[in-house]
Amino acid sequence: MPITRAVIQLKALEIAKDLNIPPTEFKASFGWCRRMMRRNGLSLRRRTSLAQCLPSDFREKLLSYQRYVIKLRKKHSYPLDQMGNADQTPVFFDMPTFVTVHKKGDKSVIVRSTGNEKSRVTLMLACLADGTKLPVPDFEMQDRT
């Protein structure tokens, strides 16, 4: 399971309580956590991944497309409430964190999950050129098994 600084601080407070250390004497502060991690060779690690780079001519292509759409709108007198845009994005049921406290210097960091990190629904958002946000339709969940 991923371990964060907050998890360490809460566990430290729990242990202090079990040892009858008063909260006025031990606060498990951010600074205490940072120093404890340094003393024990721990650091906050992030899972690494490759990011997709935009093409070098991205801005030029974007402006060219905008000019094309504006030209068509003027040529055919399309009203703004008849022009729309939509996009889909996945929403995952299990979104494991990619940051955990781990031993410094290790080459790989394994984070345990529930096994549902690939289970998702697809959310579609849409709007019109006049600023109108299109409503999400009501539907019943269908069993796809």
Side-chain angles (χ1 to χ4, degrees):
M1 296 300 293
I3 299 170
T4 63
R5 288 181 180 136
V7 169
I8 291 173
Q9 289 171 282
L10 289 172
K11 189 66 177 177
L13 288 172
E14 186 181 308
I15 292 169
K17 184 178 178 181
D18 291 345
L19 296 173
N20 296 320
I21 299 172
T24 55
E25 290 184 28
F26 179 71
K27 297 186 186 325
S29 67
F30 177 82
W32 169 85
C33 187
R34 187 175 41 81
R35 289 186 302 275
M36 184 280 303
M37 288 172 57
R38 189 181 317 135
R39 280 192 306 271
N40 291 284
L42 300 173
S43 66
L44 206 55
R45 301 283 305 271
R46 183 176 307 273
R47 187 187 83 170
T48 58
S49 61
L50 296 175
Q52 185 176 7
C53 295
L54 293 173
S56 59
D57 60 346
F58 170 74
R59 182 183 282 296
E60 179 185 320
K61 286 182 178 182
L62 176 65
L63 292 173
S64 173
Y65 180 72
Q66 283 178 324
R67 285 191 293 270
Y68 172 73
V69 170
I70 291 168
K71 186 171 104 178
L72 282 178
R73 179 174 173 259
K74 286 179 180 176
K75 180 179 178 182
H76 298 287
S77 300
Y78 295 135
L80 291 177
D81 66 348
Q82 296 295 307
M83 296 174 62
N85 186 33
D87 199 5
Q88 295 177 331
T89 187
V91 178
F92 293 90
F93 293 119
D94 182 14
M95 295 178 62
T97 180
F98 299 113
V99 178
T100 188
V101 173
H102 204 273
K103 193 82 172 152
K104 283 184 182 179
D106 284 354
K107 297 292 181 200
S108 63
V109 177
I110 298 171
V111 176
R112 194 178 294 186
S113 75
T114 64
N116 290 312
E117 59 275 356
K118 292 186 180 182
S119 299
R120 64 180 170 83
V121 294
T122 300
L123 174 68
M124 184 167 189
L125 302 170
C127 66
L128 300 176
D130 67 358
T132 304
K133 295 177 186 174
L134 299 178
V136 177
D138 290 332
F139 66 95
E140 292 184 27
M141 292 291 290
Q142 296 177 354
D143 188 5
R144 295 186 137 186
T145 55

